[in-house]
Amino acid sequence: MTRYSRITGTGSYLPPRRVTNAELAAELSGRGIETSDEWIVERTGIRARHFAAPDVTASDLGAQAARQALDAAGLPASQIDLIIVATSTPDMVFPSAACILQNKLGIAGCAAFDVQAVCSGFVYALTIADSMIRCGAARKALVIGSEVFSRILDFDDRTTCVLFGDGAGAVVLEESDTPGILASDLHADGKHVGILCVPGSVSGGKVTGTPLLKMDGQAVFKLAVGVLESAARATLAKAGKTEADIDWLIPHQANIRIMQGTAKKLKLPMEKLVVTVDQHGNTSAASIPLALDAAVRAGNVKKGDTLMLEGVGGGFTWGAVLLDF
Ligand code: UT7
């Protein structure tokens, strides 16, 4: 019997503090930084984002999303045998957010680790979990994207601090006789490290470098549109499918213009594009599972639909996963 993996439940969690563009602009104005709702909406499509309280961590947000996904799958946490958390903003240098989250779910013993591929983290994590299930190393996995990007934003840099938000999304991925995940395609190109990074680290008890997000937005924009198209096409080819088979495109939610550009290149009507960037901002590795869960709970994504998930971000990393929901 060929073994496959299939999503059996989705969940998400947003911290309660919702900050509109107007509220953020007013806060920034107090620091002498000028921006406006008009600029942010026109250039990015973002209208609001959520920020976590100072004592709330990626594992806290991720555990809430995971509980919801387990409920949706009708599965007790005790049956999970693999936890992967995609995050670039973990609770600590180590141990992983996944280990901390495992304990918060009240379970022990199963494999748990983090994946660090920035905004492509969720498609990387989903591909790893799928591979582990298909080869028999796991049967029931929790795959989570969770971020508190507000911790690494430079609120004196208006070109980045208006773009990002906090949140978490999760899926339960289970062994199945039928697919499930149809194909995936992952890439990285380390020569682009400098265009999107947090160039700080810990050394000798001190932070060295700058532990705040730096981005060359235009360079990222140009690369993103090209690689999102090529990853989608490569994934479709691996699965023996075409664009016409896609019911929903769920790309990383960074900028509505990038998302619309990708849909257009794939000749998909805008009605097939799942959009949450307006309400969540860019939540990095959390954005795809957050968007997926929102679309499932809104009744848009239904059982049997074919979904194209796509991530792109720091590294530079990019990739796609095609699946039957
Ligand atoms: O998650 C990983 C993936 N990340 C991304 O996909 C991000 C990709 N990049 C982008 O989404 C866009 O490049 C940005 C949204 C970051 C910027 O949009 P843009 O259309 O590329 O704007 P720009 O950088 O060309 O800036 C245009 C103008 C500049 O002023 P001048 O030089 O024309 O006078 C900026 O100084 O907008 C100015 N500007 C702002 N004005 C008001 C930059 N940020 C702001 C701001 N408010 N927050």
Side-chain angles (χ1 to χ4, degrees):
M1 184 194 82
T2 312
R3 204 192 308 255
Y4 299 100
S5 78
R6 180 166 218 120
I7 292 176
T8 56
T10 67
S12 63
Y13 182 76
L14 291 160
R17 186 176 165 227
R18 180 175 181 272
V19 180
T20 63
N21 289 346
E23 286 163 345
L24 185 59
E27 271 181 40
L28 293 175
S29 171
R31 305 168 74 105
I33 306 293
E34 288 311 314
T35 188
S36 64
D37 176 51
E38 292 71 29
W39 189 94
I40 302 170
V41 171
E42 189 193 310
R43 300 292 174 129
T44 71
I46 297 167
R47 294 181 182 275
R49 75 286 293 140
H50 289 247
F51 285 147
D55 58 340
V56 170
T57 63
S59 72
D60 289 325
L61 302 182
Q64 297 272 26
R67 285 187 195 103
Q68 216 183 53
L70 287 165
D71 273 357
L75 206 67
S78 56
Q79 288 198 24
I80 291 296
D81 58 10
L82 171 66
I83 300 174
I84 309 181
V85 176
T87 186
S88 299
T89 48
D91 304 29
M92 301 181 188
V93 172
F94 73 78
S96 65
C99 287
I100 301 169
L101 184 150
Q102 182 200 49
N103 187 45
K104 285 178 181 163
L105 292 181
I107 57 175
C110 72
F113 60 92
D114 288 359
V115 164
Q116 218 284 40
V118 201
C119 305
S120 310
F122 187 76
V123 292
Y124 266 68
L126 196 59
T127 301
I128 296 165
D130 170 57
S131 306
M132 289 181 70
I133 287 174
R134 279 192 292 108
C135 78
R139 301 182 69 173
K140 294 178 193 303
L142 261 173
V143 185
I144 300 155
S146 186
E147 301 281 14
V148 280
F149 257 53
S150 57
R151 303 282 150 74
I152 52 168
L153 295 179
D154 179 353
F155 285 95
D156 288 322
D157 176 6
R158 69 176 182 172
T159 69
T160 54
C161 72
V162 301
L163 305 176
F164 295 89
D166 302 337
V171 301
V172 173
L173 192 72
E174 293 190 59
E175 182 185 42
S176 160
D177 298 344
T178 53
I181 294 197
L182 301 170
S184 60
D185 187 59
L186 301 180
H187 299 274
D189 184 349
K191 77 170 167 288
H192 300 296
V193 166
I195 63 172
L196 178 48
C197 58
V198 177
S201 62
V202 177
S203 175
K206 292 197 178 83
V207 173
T208 60
T210 310
L212 295 172
L213 185 147
K214 306 271 169 218
M215 178 167 75
D216 177 346
Q218 290 197 1
V220 172
F221 194 111
K222 278 181 204 142
L223 272 172
V225 179
V227 300
L228 286 172
E229 183 192 6
S230 62
R233 291 198 185 286
T235 309
L236 286 168
K238 284 184 192 177
K241 303 264 183 189
T242 70
E243 300 97 307
D245 294 309
I246 299 173
D247 294 307
W248 293 101
L249 177 64
I250 311 185
H252 169 47
Q253 310 277 317
N255 186 320
I256 190 71
R257 292 186 290 144
I258 297 177
M259 295 160 58
Q260 288 168 341
T262 306
K264 206 166 159 195
K265 279 178 182 257
L266 295 174
K267 299 191 176 61
L268 293 176
M270 293 307 152
E271 304 82 72
K272 291 191 172 188
L273 182 63
V274 174
V275 178
T276 51
V277 69
D278 55 333
Q279 295 304 320
H280 301 169
N282 180 346
T283 57
S284 192
S287 90
I288 295 171
L290 260 167
L292 169 62
D293 185 54
V296 170
R297 280 168 204 276
N300 294 328
V301 166
K302 297 189 186 69
K303 212 144 190 59
D305 283 354
T306 300
L307 316 182
M308 174 67 80
L309 314 185
E310 287 206 275
V312 60
F316 212 62
T317 56
W318 66 99
V321 175
L322 186 73
L323 62 95
D324 283 343
F325 188 70

PDB file of all heavy atoms in Angstrom, residues 291-306:
ATOM      1  N   ALA A 291      -3.884  31.851   6.782  1.00  0.00           N
ATOM      2  CA  ALA A 291      -4.779  32.105   5.641  1.00  0.00           C
ATOM      3  C   ALA A 291      -5.600  30.853   5.331  1.00  0.00           C
ATOM      4  O   ALA A 291      -6.802  30.940   5.048  1.00  0.00           O
ATOM      5  CB  ALA A 291      -3.968  32.535   4.421  1.00  0.00           C
ATOM      6  N   LEU A 292      -4.943  29.687   5.394  1.00  0.00           N
ATOM      7  CA  LEU A 292      -5.646  28.424   5.131  1.00  0.00           C
ATOM      8  C   LEU A 292      -6.786  28.244   6.129  1.00  0.00           C
ATOM      9  O   LEU A 292      -7.929  27.957   5.754  1.00  0.00           O
ATOM     10  CB  LEU A 292      -4.659  27.247   5.219  1.00  0.00           C
ATOM     11  CG  LEU A 292      -5.265  25.851   5.225  1.00  0.00           C
ATOM     12  CD1 LEU A 292      -6.024  25.559   3.929  1.00  0.00           C
ATOM     13  CD2 LEU A 292      -4.182  24.784   5.435  1.00  0.00           C
ATOM     14  N   ASP A 293      -6.487  28.431   7.411  1.00  0.00           N
ATOM     15  CA  ASP A 293      -7.516  28.217   8.431  1.00  0.00           C
ATOM     16  C   ASP A 293      -8.660  29.216   8.276  1.00  0.00           C
ATOM     17  O   ASP A 293      -9.835  28.851   8.421  1.00  0.00           O
ATOM     18  CB  ASP A 293      -6.901  28.317   9.836  1.00  0.00           C
ATOM     19  CG  ASP A 293      -7.918  27.973  10.909  1.00  0.00           C
ATOM     20  OD1 ASP A 293      -8.521  26.880  10.821  1.00  0.00           O
ATOM     21  OD2 ASP A 293      -8.148  28.788  11.814  1.00  0.00           O
ATOM     22  N   ALA A 294      -8.323  30.470   7.956  1.00  0.00           N
ATOM     23  CA  ALA A 294      -9.377  31.480   7.764  1.00  0.00           C
ATOM     24  C   ALA A 294     -10.282  31.064   6.607  1.00  0.00           C
ATOM     25  O   ALA A 294     -11.512  31.172   6.699  1.00  0.00           O
ATOM     26  CB  ALA A 294      -8.749  32.851   7.495  1.00  0.00           C
ATOM     27  N   ALA A 295      -9.687  30.562   5.524  1.00  0.00           N
ATOM     28  CA  ALA A 295     -10.478  30.178   4.349  1.00  0.00           C
ATOM     29  C   ALA A 295     -11.331  28.938   4.631  1.00  0.00           C
ATOM     30  O   ALA A 295     -12.446  28.820   4.126  1.00  0.00           O
ATOM     31  CB  ALA A 295      -9.555  29.923   3.159  1.00  0.00           C
ATOM     32  N   VAL A 296     -10.810  28.020   5.464  1.00  0.00           N
ATOM     33  CA  VAL A 296     -11.585  26.824   5.834  1.00  0.00           C
ATOM     34  C   VAL A 296     -12.763  27.242   6.712  1.00  0.00           C
ATOM     35  O   VAL A 296     -13.908  26.849   6.480  1.00  0.00           O
ATOM     36  CB  VAL A 296     -10.689  25.802   6.576  1.00  0.00           C
ATOM     37  CG1 VAL A 296     -11.519  24.681   7.189  1.00  0.00           C
ATOM     38  CG2 VAL A 296      -9.636  25.229   5.626  1.00  0.00           C
ATOM     39  N   ARG A 297     -12.487  28.081   7.719  1.00  0.00           N
ATOM     40  CA  ARG A 297     -13.550  28.472   8.650  1.00  0.00           C
ATOM     41  C   ARG A 297     -14.601  29.367   7.993  1.00  0.00           C
ATOM     42  O   ARG A 297     -15.755  29.383   8.411  1.00  0.00           O
ATOM     43  CB  ARG A 297     -12.953  29.138   9.898  1.00  0.00           C
ATOM     44  CG  ARG A 297     -12.429  28.087  10.845  1.00  0.00           C
ATOM     45  CD  ARG A 297     -11.583  28.548  11.980  1.00  0.00           C
ATOM     46  NE  ARG A 297     -10.750  27.429  12.396  1.00  0.00           N
ATOM     47  CZ  ARG A 297     -11.149  26.470  13.241  1.00  0.00           C
ATOM     48  NH1 ARG A 297     -12.318  26.529  13.807  1.00  0.00           N
ATOM     49  NH2 ARG A 297     -10.340  25.459  13.527  1.00  0.00           N
ATOM     50  N   ALA A 298     -14.191  30.094   6.935  1.00  0.00           N
ATOM     51  CA  ALA A 298     -15.159  30.931   6.200  1.00  0.00           C
ATOM     52  C   ALA A 298     -16.012  30.076   5.255  1.00  0.00           C
ATOM     53  O   ALA A 298     -16.935  30.582   4.623  1.00  0.00           O
ATOM     54  CB  ALA A 298     -14.415  32.001   5.408  1.00  0.00           C
ATOM     55  N   GLY A 299     -15.679  28.781   5.147  1.00  0.00           N
ATOM     56  CA  GLY A 299     -16.453  27.892   4.269  1.00  0.00           C
ATOM     57  C   GLY A 299     -16.027  27.996   2.812  1.00  0.00           C
ATOM     58  O   GLY A 299     -16.700  27.446   1.934  1.00  0.00           O
ATOM     59  N   ASN A 300     -14.916  28.672   2.541  1.00  0.00           N
ATOM     60  CA  ASN A 300     -14.461  28.800   1.151  1.00  0.00           C
ATOM     61  C   ASN A 300     -13.682  27.560   0.711  1.00  0.00           C
ATOM     62  O   ASN A 300     -14.014  26.918  -0.272  1.00  0.00           O
ATOM     63  CB  ASN A 300     -13.606  30.066   0.989  1.00  0.00           C
ATOM     64  CG  ASN A 300     -14.435  31.315   1.206  1.00  0.00           C
ATOM     65  OD1 ASN A 300     -15.625  31.319   0.894  1.00  0.00           O
ATOM     66  ND2 ASN A 300     -13.837  32.364   1.755  1.00  0.00           N
ATOM     67  N   VAL A 301     -12.628  27.222   1.451  1.00  0.00           N
ATOM     68  CA  VAL A 301     -11.877  25.995   1.141  1.00  0.00           C
ATOM     69  C   VAL A 301     -12.658  24.805   1.696  1.00  0.00           C
ATOM     70  O   VAL A 301     -12.973  24.771   2.892  1.00  0.00           O
ATOM     71  CB  VAL A 301     -10.455  26.046   1.743  1.00  0.00           C
ATOM     72  CG1 VAL A 301      -9.805  24.668   1.716  1.00  0.00           C
ATOM     73  CG2 VAL A 301      -9.590  27.047   0.982  1.00  0.00           C
ATOM     74  N   LYS A 302     -12.975  23.860   0.800  1.00  0.00           N
ATOM     75  CA  LYS A 302     -13.793  22.699   1.211  1.00  0.00           C
ATOM     76  C   LYS A 302     -13.023  21.404   0.960  1.00  0.00           C
ATOM     77  O   LYS A 302     -12.081  21.378   0.169  1.00  0.00           O
ATOM     78  CB  LYS A 302     -15.083  22.664   0.404  1.00  0.00           C
ATOM     79  CG  LYS A 302     -15.967  23.874   0.658  1.00  0.00           C
ATOM     80  CD  LYS A 302     -17.334  23.682   0.002  1.00  0.00           C
ATOM     81  CE  LYS A 302     -18.167  24.930   0.134  1.00  0.00           C
ATOM     82  NZ  LYS A 302     -17.658  26.045  -0.683  1.00  0.00           N
ATOM     83  N   LYS A 303     -13.476  20.355   1.637  1.00  0.00           N
ATOM     84  CA  LYS A 303     -12.881  19.034   1.469  1.00  0.00           C
ATOM     85  C   LYS A 303     -12.849  18.666  -0.013  1.00  0.00           C
ATOM     86  O   LYS A 303     -13.839  18.855  -0.727  1.00  0.00           O
ATOM     87  CB  LYS A 303     -13.709  18.007   2.248  1.00  0.00           C
ATOM     88  CG  LYS A 303     -12.857  16.915   2.772  1.00  0.00           C
ATOM     89  CD  LYS A 303     -13.200  16.345   4.110  1.00  0.00           C
ATOM     90  CE  LYS A 303     -12.096  15.418   4.578  1.00  0.00           C
ATOM     91  NZ  LYS A 303     -10.804  16.053   4.690  1.00  0.00           N
ATOM     92  N   GLY A 304     -11.693  18.188  -0.484  1.00  0.00           N
ATOM     93  CA  GLY A 304     -11.576  17.783  -1.895  1.00  0.00           C
ATOM     94  C   GLY A 304     -11.015  18.878  -2.794  1.00  0.00           C
ATOM     95  O   GLY A 304     -10.587  18.584  -3.913  1.00  0.00           O
ATOM     96  N   ASP A 305     -10.993  20.138  -2.316  1.00  0.00           N
ATOM     97  CA  ASP A 305     -10.415  21.226  -3.121  1.00  0.00           C
ATOM     98  C   ASP A 305      -8.908  21.024  -3.296  1.00  0.00           C
ATOM     99  O   ASP A 305      -8.237  20.502  -2.393  1.00  0.00           O
ATOM    100  CB  ASP A 305     -10.630  22.590  -2.438  1.00  0.00           C
ATOM    101  CG  ASP A 305     -12.061  23.098  -2.597  1.00  0.00           C
ATOM    102  OD1 ASP A 305     -12.846  22.451  -3.334  1.00  0.00           O
ATOM    103  OD2 ASP A 305     -12.380  24.128  -1.978  1.00  0.00           O
ATOM    104  N   THR A 306      -8.389  21.471  -4.442  1.00  0.00           N
ATOM    105  CA  THR A 306      -6.942  21.405  -4.685  1.00  0.00           C
ATOM    106  C   THR A 306      -6.326  22.766  -4.369  1.00  0.00           C
ATOM    107  O   THR A 306      -6.748  23.785  -4.909  1.00  0.00           O
ATOM    108  CB  THR A 306      -6.666  20.991  -6.144  1.00  0.00           C
ATOM    109  OG1 THR A 306      -7.250  19.700  -6.348  1.00  0.00           O
ATOM    110  CG2 THR A 306      -5.168  20.908  -6.420  1.00  0.00           C
TER     111      THR A 306
END
